Amino acid sequence: MDMDGASSVVLQALTQATSQDTAVLKPAEEQLRQWETQPGFYSVLLNIFNNHMLDVNVRWLAVLYFKNGIDRYWRRVAPHALSEEEKTSLRAGLITNFNEPVNQIATQIAVLIAKVARLDCPRQWPELIPILLESVKGQDGLQQHRALLTFYHVTKTLASKRLAQDRRLFQDLASGIYSFACSLWSHHTDCFLQQIYARDEAGALSSLERTLLNYLTLSSSLSFQGFLNAVFERLKQFLECCRQVGPDSTCREKLEKIIILYTKVLLDFLEYHPCAFIPLIQRSLEFAVSYLFTPAGEGVTFERFIVQCMNLIKIIVKNDAYKPSKNLDDSKPESLEAHKIKTAFFTHPTLTEIGRRLVSHYFLLTEEELAMWEEDPESFAVEETGGDSWKYSLRPCTEVLFLDIFHNYNQTLIPVLLDMVQNLQVYNAVGLAAYELFDNVDFDQWFKNQLLGELQVGHHRYKLIRRRVIWLIGQWISVKFKSDLRPLLYEVILSLMQDPDLVVRQLKTPSCFCKLLIFRTEQFLPYLESIFGLLFQLLQQVTECDTKMQVLHVISCVIERVNIQIRPYVGCLVQYLPLLWKQSEEHNMLRCAILTTLIHLVQGLGAESKNLYPFLLPVIQLSTDVSQPPHVYLLEDGLELWLVTLENSPAITPELLRIFQNMSALLELSSENLRTCFQIVNAYLYLSATDFLQNYAESLCRAFCNLLKDITNEGQVQVLKVVEIALKVSPILGAHMFQPLLPHVFRGIVDGERYPVVMSTYLGIMGRILLQNSSFFSSLLTQMASECSQKMDQLLGSVIEMWVDRMDNITQPERRKLSSLALLSLLPSDNSVIQDKFCGIINISVEALHDVMTEDSETGTFKDCMLMSHFEEPKLSDDEEPPTEQDKRKKLLALEDPVHSVSLQQFVYEKLKAQQAMMGDQGFGVLMETVDTELVRQLQEFLQGL
């Protein structure tokens, strides 16, 4: 590319590529894409983004194209790689000056220099680091900042290389620049501190930014303990600075940010290099405990810093690398050293003070938290705190630290905690440490002798204690609570539910309330009518949308637990829900809660749920209609309700069939709900295949054909399973209705589909057709032979050969038996191709016999374990859910399925006898000689007695 002539055309193309007009944008992008491999293109880009007079957007785009080019063409082995001459020129141009005025572009340039450095430094680019260091020493503020920015990105990138040789090179490089980087960091930090005390806020901000860049550069290599030791001193200085600057100061925000970054480096080093951190354990614990549990932290700490310090203590306490083995002789020296340091630090007085301060200071609710608890107690329910929230939020972090320290030092802390049991604030601690206190607290006696009495105190000012006691019982009920006491607890709950104010507030922690309902059904049933009735009354009385949602959550929990036992008591709820649904038209989250309740209600009512259809079906219709705005909120629960309604439906109705009109649009969405959509289709097939396929097979088949063009292997399996179920339920109609999809299946088998689960499903579909609709299989074979320009026999031979070859892809015993039955159904035959594949058919049959035949230990004979002769209602325990109507339909269908109604042993015998009769003994004997003798022996063993 001619540099002089190219600059103007590249500049024009970049300008057009920043246009909002796609008619201008697209051709420009295509032209730039073609130039990517042209020699000289990146030199032109370098000149453009270094020209500060040009439009910022154009320069930004030039940097991005340059950066992408490094990824694609900088390596010598890359296709269309840049020449060494051009790369040398580009490297020199990148570090000519560090005076980029635009922050975003400066950052991008620093990143692309780091990308080149990762590939070329130090071997091909030895001058990079010296030039950066020289520029950092300059007096020009902008140049110094940009050089520091680049220095940080280069160091960070080089430190990320993982090959041993690269690591050694980086260590050599880091050793050479470490002293300079430390002195620079120290200089800028001292400048910042001086400017803070001189109240020069503008200068302090500038120095703080440079301090941060220096610090990030140093922290890219975490192998320098001297640097990390210095971090503690700087942290103390920065924390003292917090006293000097007001809470609204611009510096305060940046100051807190850098304090968090400093502590984060300590945490990262501890997490990723625990053994190297051992010399820092003592100082880390002294620092964190001093600021968290002594007066040293008063007035200077802030929430995120407290959380970081708690995490520091927690990780040190819990780290497996710091724990000796049970057999001390097997322990690593570093583990013993770390354990010794921890043991020396965590003395009895220190642990006592930490335990008391955690419980009496950090566990206490502030006035603001008490006010928030009045409005939303759910935020303070420990069981609702999940994921990694302990790393970032103070209350869960406090609770996790308490648990870890208590677990590791319980001998010291149990007496401390038991001494505090009489105070309200320890209820939280005793609840959190329930498992640790299992052997030390007689909770059953505590419940009977004290907690029960506190729950019965009705004074208004005692409501906080009642709520905390109920939460505490919820924590212990699954740990240590005699089942004999549960009826007494239900009596208390009934009593408490007479106070709507208390119940409304307690139900705002529904998972806590639901824990109280962990029961044996027979124990709870005497209270079911009363508790359910009070919950229903409460649902009617409360007015806040959020409270109604929480009440519905608990109602759903009760229905789910008692299942069909709920049927006598739901009449009022069934009558009320349509009114509540209408009232909640503007409250989609409340409607989601109603949908969840309906899901459990339908499951509890079973076939009786048909009486809900006048309300239920319009709800499903609205919730799953993607043309209606509420579907954004209601779709997932609406689909689940649709599915359980079908599963529990005793028979199809025109209205239930009509809802399926919503499905075409849902399948086009290809969303995360696609799996549920397929389950709904399958449920319709089980419910009424004939009515369903006659009404919707055409549109469904069209949607499936579109899906198969762009879908994952897992999604393809879901589509094919629908076809497979249709063939199982109605072999003739299913094959006819899904005929457009079957050539795809046929080609997949012949071509040897590589994904095993897909191939297994292909063979399941083809097995159904071959076994149960042979005339359709013949017409399909004729069609495919014509399309493939092959003879029918030749194509049939290819199918059988691939079937035999890929039998191992089929893992389900049912499908393996089906394959055997299907291929055996080709016998008897005088077709030379089928006889040529006879050995493979016998091979598959013997494999399937091994899968399904079990030996009777008494008679020594074999029987097919998949045979089903009649349908029996299963006997259920109290904890088992009764079968749905769909479960019953599947069982009845299985009775008619050849897989479960035909003895494979008998089928093999009859087909071989028929083949023998057709060919004569001599011909059949020659045919059997093509089969391996060991297979013949196994076959004869299975067929003994027939």
Side-chain angles (χ1 to χ4, degrees):
M1 180 175 280
D2 177 51
M3 291 286 288
D4 295 332
S7 294
S8 59
V9 293
V10 173
L11 180 59
Q12 182 182 7
L14 287 168
T15 304
Q16 292 171 341
T18 62
S19 172
Q20 300 299 312
D21 185 351
T22 55
V24 177
L25 171 68
K26 293 297 183 184
E29 287 181 337
E30 177 59 27
Q31 181 61 74
L32 289 165
R33 189 187 66 77
Q34 293 177 8
W35 283 337
E36 283 180 358
T37 57
Q38 292 293 312
F41 176 62
Y42 296 96
S43 298
V44 173
L45 291 177
L46 177 64
N47 291 336
I48 289 173
F49 68 69
N50 274 340
N51 186 344
H52 303 162
M53 303 298 291
L54 297 176
D55 179 72
V56 170
N57 292 325
V58 171
R59 296 175 57 230
W60 169 265
L61 197 58
V63 173
L64 292 184
Y65 269 96
F66 193 105
K67 190 170 70 171
N68 293 337
I70 295 171
D71 293 331
R72 294 174 185 169
Y73 309 115
W74 198 273
R75 296 179 186 274
R76 276 180 285 186
V77 295
H80 309 291
L82 275 70
S83 68
E84 292 302 318
E85 293 78 14
E86 185 171 5
K87 287 198 290 187
T88 300
S89 172
L90 292 173
R91 285 193 292 261
L94 285 171
I95 54 176
T96 301
N97 54 65
F98 296 95
N99 58 356
E100 172 55 54
V102 180
N103 286 332
Q104 295 89 335
I105 294 178
T107 300
Q108 290 299 321
I109 292 173
V111 170
L112 70 85
I113 289 174
K115 282 179 173 288
V116 175
R118 182 179 180 87
L119 299 170
D120 291 357
C121 184
R123 291 187 180 88
Q124 285 81 34
W125 208 2
E127 66 274 18
L128 172 62
I129 300 300
I131 288 176
L132 284 173
L133 295 179
E134 192 62 35
S135 300
V136 166
K137 295 175 185 176
Q139 297 302 309
D140 182 271
L142 179 64
Q143 179 178 342
Q144 187 185 68
H145 179 273
R146 298 313 191 220
L148 268 174
L149 180 66
T150 306
F151 190 36
Y152 159 60
H153 281 285
V154 168
T155 307
K156 179 183 176 183
T157 301
L158 293 178
S160 69
K161 299 178 79 171
R162 288 292 171 259
L163 292 177
Q165 186 177 9
D166 292 329
R167 297 294 297 169
R168 283 194 298 271
L169 281 172
F170 176 71
Q171 291 301 329
D172 293 343
L173 173 67
S175 299
I177 64 173
Y178 173 66
S179 297
F180 171 75
C182 272
S183 63
L184 200 61
W185 171 56
S186 183
H187 167 71
H188 287 302
T189 304
D190 288 338
C191 287
F192 163 73
L193 295 170
Q194 291 167 9
Q195 288 157 341
I196 279 290
Y197 288 110
R199 303 197 179 280
D200 177 7
E201 191 163 308
L205 280 172
S206 177
S207 294
L208 190 60
E209 191 165 346
R210 283 163 174 72
T211 297
L212 180 58
L213 281 172
N214 287 140
Y215 176 73
L216 290 171
T217 302
L218 282 166
S219 64
S220 295
S221 173
L222 294 177
S223 57
F224 302 107
Q225 289 173 358
F227 161 63
L228 292 174
N229 274 315
V231 166
F232 288 107
E233 294 304 320
R234 293 305 189 183
L235 273 171
K236 291 178 182 178
Q237 291 173 338
F238 287 145
L239 285 163
E240 284 305 311
C241 280
C242 288
R243 297 186 197 274
Q244 303 298 318
V245 300
D248 299 326
S249 167
T250 309
C251 270
R252 176 68 183 233
E253 182 180 348
K254 286 191 174 290
L255 198 54
E256 291 185 2
K257 178 182 177 182
I258 202 167
I259 288 170
I260 293 304
L261 280 171
Y262 277 34
T263 51
K264 185 179 183 301
V265 166
L266 291 171
L267 284 166
D268 287 345
F269 190 32
L270 170 58
E271 184 174 356
Y272 296 110
H273 307 279
C275 292
F277 194 87
I278 290 173
L280 300 169
I281 290 176
Q282 177 77 21
R283 193 159 191 185
S284 299
L285 291 172
E286 288 173 350
F287 174 81
V289 170
S290 170
Y291 278 100
L292 263 55
F293 303 110
T294 74
E298 293 176 5
V300 297
T301 57
F302 51 96
E303 182 170 321
R304 288 189 65 199
F305 171 72
I306 294 171
V307 169
Q308 295 282 67
C309 286
M310 285 186 174
N311 287 336
L312 194 63
I313 299 171
K314 174 198 173 301
I315 296 173
I316 291 173
V317 167
K318 197 176 181 181
N319 203 309
D320 289 336
Y322 300 161
K323 296 177 182 177
S325 303
K326 291 182 179 179
N327 183 353
L328 289 179
D329 294 336
D330 297 333
S331 301
K332 296 179 180 178
E334 53 267 29
S335 298
L336 292 171
E337 182 186 355
H339 181 68
K340 182 180 178 181
I341 295 170
K342 288 198 301 178
T343 303
F345 179 82
F346 287 113
T347 60
H348 189 282
T350 301
L351 284 169
T352 300
E353 185 59 26
I354 290 174
R356 288 189 179 278
R357 289 274 292 178
L358 282 171
V359 173
S360 64
H361 178 69
Y362 289 105
F363 275 2
L364 284 181
L365 299 179
T366 64
E367 290 296 326
E368 293 79 9
E369 287 174 323
L370 284 169
M372 289 175 65
W373 194 8
E374 289 292 320
E375 298 172 11
D376 186 13
E378 186 70 13
S379 302
F380 297 95
V382 177
E383 69 273 19
E384 295 298 320
T385 305
D388 288 338
S389 59
W390 60 267
K391 293 182 179 178
Y392 313 110
S393 303
L394 180 56
R395 185 155 299 280
C397 182
T398 303
E399 292 167 351
V400 170
L401 176 62
F402 171 81
L403 280 172
D404 287 329
I405 288 186
F406 202 93
H407 176 74
N408 284 276
Y409 301 101
N410 53 27
Q411 295 302 311
T412 300
L413 290 174
I414 283 175
V416 175
L417 186 55
L418 293 178
D419 283 344
M420 304 174 76
V421 161
Q422 300 306 314
N423 299 317
L424 171 64
Q425 62 265 29
V426 303
Y427 284 2
N428 189 28
V430 174
L432 289 171
Y435 287 95
E436 298 296 332
L437 294 169
F438 182 89
D439 294 322
N440 301 94
V441 173
D442 188 341
F443 192 80
D444 296 332
Q445 287 300 316
W446 193 19
F447 170 74
K448 288 188 293 185
N449 297 338
Q450 181 178 343
L451 299 179
L452 193 57
E454 291 185 343
L455 287 174
Q456 293 168 340
V457 177
H459 195 282
H460 174 71
R461 291 188 178 182
Y462 223 73
K463 65 182 181 181
L464 181 61
I465 296 178
R466 290 198 298 271
R467 278 188 284 165
R468 181 56 82 186
V469 170
I470 279 289
W471 172 85
L472 174 64
I473 296 169
Q475 293 297 103
W476 274 84
I477 198 166
S478 58
V479 177
K480 189 179 184 180
F481 195 80
K482 285 183 179 177
S483 61
D484 295 347
L485 293 175
R486 286 200 174 101
L488 188 58
L489 176 61
Y490 301 147
E491 295 280 0
V492 173
I493 292 174
L494 272 174
S495 174
L496 291 175
M497 290 181 73
Q498 307 301 323
D499 178 359
D501 179 67
L502 174 65
V503 179
V504 166
R505 298 180 192 282
Q506 187 58 42
L507 284 175
K508 287 190 175 180
T509 55
S511 57
C512 170
F513 203 88
C514 289
K515 271 189 178 181
L516 298 172
L517 300 177
I518 294 174
F519 48 72
R520 294 175 182 169
T521 306
E522 71 275 7
Q523 281 186 315
F524 186 73
L525 283 179
Y527 307 93
L528 174 59
E529 182 177 6
S530 299
I531 289 181
F532 195 81
L534 287 168
L535 285 170
F536 174 65
Q537 288 179 23
L538 186 64
L539 181 63
Q540 292 178 295
Q541 291 169 4
V542 297
T543 56
E544 292 183 12
C545 175
D546 179 62
T547 309
K548 283 186 180 290
M549 288 171 57
Q550 309 301 349
V551 178
L552 281 170
H553 179 96
V554 178
I555 287 175
S556 296
C557 177
V558 172
I559 296 173
E560 184 180 19
R561 292 291 298 175
V562 301
N563 204 280
I564 62 174
Q565 306 282 358
I566 199 66
R567 292 177 184 178
Y569 313 114
V570 295
C572 293
L573 179 65
V574 167
Q575 292 176 12
Y576 176 66
L577 285 178
L579 175 62
L580 183 59
W581 180 266
K582 187 176 180 180
Q583 292 173 343
S584 61
E585 189 171 358
E586 302 300 321
H587 303 282
N588 286 309
M589 297 312 294
L590 176 54
R591 284 194 160 184
C592 286
I594 296 172
L595 288 172
T596 302
T597 304
L598 284 171
I599 289 168
H600 294 301
L601 198 54
V602 169
Q603 290 171 328
L605 290 173
E608 293 179 20
S609 61
K610 67 180 185 297
N611 299 323
L612 297 180
Y613 284 4
F615 166 55
L616 196 61
L617 300 188
V619 166
I620 296 172
Q621 167 72 38
L622 174 69
S623 303
T624 60
D625 185 350
V626 296
S627 67
Q628 299 292 328
H631 90 273
V632 176
Y633 303 94
L634 308 179
L635 180 58
E636 185 174 352
D637 293 318
L639 287 171
E640 188 66 27
L641 178 59
W642 191 357
L643 177 59
V644 299
T645 300
L646 289 167
E647 289 174 341
N648 290 278
S649 176
I652 195 70
T653 68
E655 296 77 17
L656 190 54
L657 195 60
R658 196 175 301 123
I659 298 176
F660 195 80
Q661 294 172 358
N662 285 358
M663 185 58 71
S664 293
L666 290 166
L667 292 174
E668 289 175 9
L669 283 178
S670 297
S671 66
E672 64 276 5
N673 296 309
L674 205 53
R675 182 181 294 273
T676 309
C677 291
F678 289 135
Q679 291 175 322
I680 288 169
V681 175
N682 294 339
Y684 272 106
L685 287 168
Y686 286 121
L687 181 59
S688 181
T690 301
D691 291 332
F692 176 66
L693 290 174
Q694 287 175 347
N695 281 276
Y696 294 110
E698 185 179 345
S699 60
L700 194 61
C701 194
R702 190 163 50 246
F704 283 178
C705 286
N706 291 330
L707 276 172
L708 288 172
K709 293 175 184 175
D710 182 24
I711 197 171
T712 63
N713 286 322
E714 289 78 6
Q716 188 175 356
V717 169
Q718 294 301 316
V719 172
L720 295 170
K721 278 185 177 178
V722 173
V723 181
E724 189 176 19
I725 290 171
L727 292 168
K728 181 190 294 188
V729 174
S730 181
I732 307 298
L733 186 59
H736 176 70
M737 291 300 185
F738 285 108
Q739 194 278 333
L741 285 170
L742 298 178
H744 170 84
V745 175
F746 199 101
R747 280 190 292 271
I749 295 174
V750 174
D751 294 341
E753 164 64 43
R754 288 185 299 176
Y755 189 61
V757 182
V758 175
M759 187 60 162
S760 172
T761 315
Y762 283 161
L763 294 175
I765 290 171
M766 204 53 60
R768 288 279 168 197
I769 296 171
L770 178 56
L771 179 62
Q772 296 179 270
N773 197 349
S774 58
S775 60
F776 187 90
F777 179 81
S778 297
S779 63
L780 179 62
L781 185 63
T782 303
Q783 175 190 342
M784 297 308 300
S786 174
E787 289 183 14
C788 300
S789 302
Q790 291 187 33
K791 293 181 179 180
M792 284 179 56
D793 286 350
Q794 180 186 357
L795 189 58
L796 177 60
S798 299
V799 170
I800 297 173
E801 186 174 342
M802 188 58 68
W803 207 321
V804 173
D805 183 60
R806 302 300 289 276
M807 184 68 174
D808 287 343
N809 287 169
I810 306 175
T811 56
Q812 303 95 323
E814 291 85 354
R815 275 197 189 146
R816 291 175 67 83
K817 180 178 177 180
L818 175 65
S819 287
S820 177
L821 292 171
L823 290 177
L824 283 167
S825 71
L826 293 170
L827 304 177
S829 175
D830 58 1
N831 186 307
S832 61
V833 170
I834 294 176
Q835 291 184 8
D836 186 52
K837 306 300 180 186
F838 180 78
C839 175
I841 295 173
I842 297 301
N843 187 18
I844 281 182
S845 300
V846 173
E847 284 189 25
L849 285 167
H850 278 291
D851 292 331
V852 305
M853 301 302 289
T854 56
E855 187 176 4
D856 190 316
S857 57
E858 294 182 1
T859 64
T861 58
F862 289 96
K863 61 179 180 179
D864 190 330
C865 66
M866 288 192 180
L867 290 180
M868 295 172 59
S869 57
H870 60 282
F871 175 68
E872 291 183 356
E873 286 280 358
K875 295 180 181 179
L876 304 173
S877 67
D878 290 339
D879 295 330
E880 289 182 305
E881 294 183 1
T884 65
E885 295 299 304
Q886 180 164 300
D887 293 331
K888 297 174 185 177
R889 287 190 282 271
K890 286 182 178 181
K891 287 286 180 68
L892 290 172
L893 178 63
L895 292 176
E896 302 174 3
D897 187 345
V899 172
H900 298 290
S901 61
V902 175
S903 165
L904 179 59
Q905 180 189 36
Q906 187 69 36
F907 198 70
V908 172
Y909 176 76
E910 290 173 357
K911 288 297 181 179
L912 291 180
K913 291 295 288 184
Q915 187 69 35
Q916 184 178 21
M918 173 183 284
M919 299 182 69
D921 292 345
Q922 184 177 356
F924 184 70
V926 172
L927 190 62
M928 286 299 295
E929 286 177 1
T930 64
V931 182
D932 181 79
T933 54
E934 176 58 25
L935 276 180
V936 172
R937 186 194 65 75
Q938 293 176 26
L939 181 63
Q940 289 171 341
E941 188 176 334
F942 280 120
L943 300 183
Q944 274 182 352
L946 295 179

